[in-house]
Amino acid sequence: MPANRSVVIGVDSSTQSTKAAAVDAETGELLAVGRAPHSVTGTGGARESDPGQWWTALATAVRAAGREAGVPAASVTAIAVAGQQHGLVTLGPGGRPLRPALLWNDTRSAPQAAALATRLGGPASWLHRTGSVPVASMTAAKWQWLREHEPAHAAAVTGVRLPHDHLTERLTGLAVTDPGDASGTCWYGTGPGPGGAGRAHGPGGAGPAGSPDAVAGRGGASGEGGTGAASGEGRPGAAGSDGPGRPGAAGGAYDPEILDLLGLDAALLPTVAPSGATRVGTLTPAAAEALGLPRTVVVAAGTGDNMAAAVGLGLGGAGLLDHPVVSLGTSGTVFAATGARPADRGLAGFAATDGTYLPLGCTLNCTLAVDRFATLLGLDRDDTRPGDGVVVLPYLDGERTPDLPHAAGLVTGLRHGTDPRAILGAAYEGAAFTVLRALDRLLAACGLDPADPAVRDRPLRLIGGGARGRAWTDTVRRLSGRPLVVPAADELVALGAAALALGAVTGTDPVAVAAAWGTGDGEVLPPLTRDDAAWQRIDAVLTAAAPTLLS
C-alpha cells in the first residue's frame, strides 16, 4: 500500500445503521466499510431515535473503517456525512438534543401536514415556493406536531437541525446544511416563489460561493462545545459552487412566510452552504479524539442520503441527467437528477446537492415490509412466485406515495388453493408497483414524454439492499418492462459522501469525481416482457381501496 495514499471518508447515517466508507481519493477504490447499528423506537405511527446514538455509531464506524483499511490516520484528508432525510433534531443549551429525533417515517404529523397544505394559498402555492406539498414525512409537519403536542419542548429549542446537519455540527462545531437536505424541510424555497429566488443561503447571510463568509459559524448551538476549526480554518472553499454544466441551479433560501407560519425563528436554523461539497471547516478537538483522526481533516457540508446516492451514481450537471433510479431499502424511492424544476404534487421537488434538481417519489414500505410478509408466511425471502391473482398492498407503516399516512396492509384475492409463495410474490409486486407507479410522473417532471419510445426504454438504475435480491430484480423487471443497470458498488450513499469530501479538499465537482471513480458502473440486465395483467390488477385494487379501506 502506498505510504502517501490519500483517503477520504464518506458516512452514510441511515435509519437503522451508520456505514463509514474509507475510499482512495485518487482511484475511488473502496478500502473498507465500518458499520454500527442504531435503534428506532415507537409504536403506532411514532418513529424516534436518540441522536446521541448516531454520533456514537459514526465514531465507531469511522474507527472500524480505518482499522480495516489499514491506513494511518494521517492519510485521511476529508470527511462528509450523508444522512436520512427529514428527521427533526431539536437542540437545547450546549447543543444537546432536547428529546429523541422524530424520523422521516414518523406519521403522527399527518394531521399537521394536511392542515399546512391548505395554508399559504394551498398546494399549488407550496409547489411554487418549495417544490413540494407538506406530507407527514416533511420536517415542517414534524415541527408543527412538536409545537402542538410538546409546546414546552418547542419553546426551549435553541437549534433545529436535520440528522446530517447535527452530525456535521458535532464534527465542526458549525451549524451548516446544504440545499439538497434543506429542500426536504418544506421551509426552504427552491425556486421562484417568495424566499426562493436568488442565492441568499440563510439568515445572517452566506455569501456567494467561495467568499470567506459563505459558511461562517453564525448562530445556533454548537456541538460538543466546539467553536469550529483552528484560526484560519473553518472557512469554506469554492467547491461545488458553480461547477461546469449545471443547468437550472437549484439555489434558494429559507422562506420567511413559511417560517412565520410555523412560528420558527430563522436564527434557530443552520446556514445553507452553496453545495454539499462546500468546505465547512476541520474537526474540533473533541471530534478528532472521538474519531481517532487528525484535527486537520476537512469536513464538507454533506447532504441527504438520496442526494448522496445521486452523486455516487454520477447523476448531476457534470454527469447523467434525466436517468431514472429506483432505490429499494427500508423505503422505496424513484428519482432522477434534472435541470428542470419539478412541480408535481405527487413528487417531492428536492434540490440536488450540486445545483440541479432531484424530483423524487418515496414509499414508506419496501424491503422491511416484504421481509415481514416472508416471516409471517414462514418463507425464505426468495421462496416466491408471481402473485397469481393475489394482490398485497404492504402498507404496514402507513404510506407516503400515495399519501395514505394511516393506511394498514391489505391482502385480497385469496383462495383455498393459494400458494403461500404467491402471497409473498404479491407482496413484492405491491411494493414494486408502488415505487414504479411514480416513474411516469418523475419522467414528466424532468421534461420528458414517458410515452416516447426512447424514454420508455431508458434503463432503470436499481440500487439499495433490494437490488442484491433475485426476487426484487425479477419483480422490477417484470413490472417495469425496462432494462436494469445494477451498479457493482454496494455503498453508493457513502461513496457519494466520499466524493463530496474530496470536492471539499480539491474544488472538483463531486459528480465528476464519482463518474471518474466509476462507482455507478454495473451489470446491465435485459428487460422482461411487461406484466400488464399484474400491473392492472394491483392498480384496480389500490384505486378501489383508497381511501376507504386504506385510511
Side-chain angles (χ1 to χ4, degrees):
M1 182 176 296
N4 60 347
R5 169 174 269 175
S6 175
V7 175
V8 291
I9 294 178
V11 175
D12 173 9
S13 180
S14 67
T15 311
Q16 308 210 27
S17 67
T18 292
K19 290 172 277 190
V23 179
D24 184 295
E26 182 177 353
T27 67
E29 179 188 356
L30 181 59
L31 304 175
V33 179
R35 293 175 172 83
H38 309 156
S39 63
V40 177
T41 61
T43 58
R47 295 292 184 274
E48 299 183 348
S49 284
D50 174 11
Q53 278 194 17
W54 303 338
W55 174 248
T56 300
L58 186 155
T60 300
V62 168
R63 283 181 174 271
R67 286 194 303 270
E68 185 178 337
V71 296
S75 297
V76 177
T77 58
I79 187 170
V81 176
Q84 55 178 306
Q85 287 189 254
H86 307 305
L88 177 66
V89 181
T90 50
L91 305 180
R96 300 293 183 180
L98 286 171
R99 68 178 313 286
L102 302 176
L103 303 186
W104 59 275
N105 53 352
D106 189 315
T107 58
R108 289 175 293 177
S109 52
Q112 288 73 30
L116 286 173
T118 66
R119 307 289 296 276
L120 298 177
S125 177
W126 284 94
L127 284 175
H128 184 67
R129 291 167 179 267
T130 71
S132 303
V133 177
V135 293
S137 299
M138 299 294 183
T139 321
K142 299 183 188 307
W143 171 254
Q144 193 73 351
W145 181 90
L146 190 75
R147 292 179 70 204
E148 294 178 15
H149 290 268
E150 299 180 11
H153 272 135
V157 165
T158 62
V160 172
R161 306 286 184 264
L162 297 167
H164 118 261
D165 307 344
H166 176 59
L167 292 171
T168 302
E169 190 170 9
R170 292 292 299 262
L171 292 172
T172 64
L174 300 173
V176 179
T177 191
D178 85 300
D181 215 4
S183 68
T185 61
C186 261
W187 60 59
Y188 178 82
T190 60
R199 293 191 66 82
H201 287 281
S211 78
D213 292 322
V215 194
R218 70 111 199 112
S222 63
E224 277 301 288
T227 57
S231 177
E233 304 286 343
R235 300 294 190 179
S241 56
D242 292 301
R246 285 184 181 156
Y254 296 126
D255 188 309
E257 291 185 58
I258 295 177
L259 294 182
D260 185 61
L261 172 65
L262 296 170
L264 182 57
D265 186 347
L268 300 178
L269 301 176
T271 296
V272 186
S275 86
T278 300
R279 174 180 172 145
V280 173
T282 56
L283 296 175
T284 66
E289 181 179 359
L291 274 59
L293 296 176
R295 284 196 59 201
T296 54
V297 170
V298 170
V299 182
T303 192
D305 52 3
N306 289 300
M307 293 78 194
V311 172
L313 287 164
L315 306 185
L320 294 172
L321 289 173
D322 306 324
H323 282 252
V325 177
V326 169
S327 177
L328 304 174
T330 303
S331 63
T333 60
V334 57
F335 61 87
T338 183
R341 183 176 186 271
D344 184 321
R345 184 173 181 175
L347 302 172
F350 295 143
T353 197
D354 76 328
T356 57
Y357 294 95
L358 199 76
L360 179 144
C362 177
T363 69
L364 298 186
N365 301 276
C366 197
T367 57
L368 286 183
V370 173
D371 285 351
R372 182 60 180 154
F373 272 88
T375 299
L376 290 171
L377 294 165
L379 297 173
D380 180 86
R381 63 177 58 165
D382 282 331
D383 190 10
T384 178
R385 56 177 293 178
D388 191 29
V390 179
V391 172
V392 174
L393 300 179
Y395 302 159
L396 306 186
D397 280 319
E399 194 44 81
R400 171 170 164 180
T401 304
D403 186 18
L404 297 165
H406 304 297
L410 183 148
V411 181
T412 186
L414 298 180
R415 302 287 186 183
H416 280 292
T418 297
D419 186 331
R421 294 175 298 169
I423 302 174
L424 181 57
Y428 277 99
E429 292 171 352
F433 168 88
T434 306
V435 179
L436 293 171
R437 189 168 178 256
L439 180 58
D440 282 356
R441 302 182 77 155
L442 172 75
L443 294 169
C446 293
L448 303 175
D449 177 4
D452 182 338
V455 175
R456 189 181 60 228
D457 296 335
R458 188 166 292 183
L460 290 175
R461 280 164 169 74
L462 192 67
I463 65 171
R468 304 302 173 195
R470 177 193 56 79
W472 278 111
T473 54
D474 288 352
T475 303
V476 172
R477 291 168 72 196
R478 185 163 52 85
L479 290 184
S480 71
R482 292 173 178 265
L484 302 184
V485 176
V486 183
D490 286 322
E491 305 298 344
L492 286 163
V493 172
L495 287 167
L500 295 176
L502 184 59
V505 174
T506 65
T508 308
D509 187 299
V511 173
V513 167
W517 285 349
T519 53
D521 297 344
E523 180 185 8
V524 179
L525 302 178
L528 298 176
T529 301
R530 190 171 187 267
D531 191 341
D532 290 317
W535 184 278
Q536 292 166 10
R537 183 171 64 245
I538 302 165
D539 186 58
V541 170
L542 177 58
T543 300
T548 306
L549 296 179
L550 293 171
S551 304

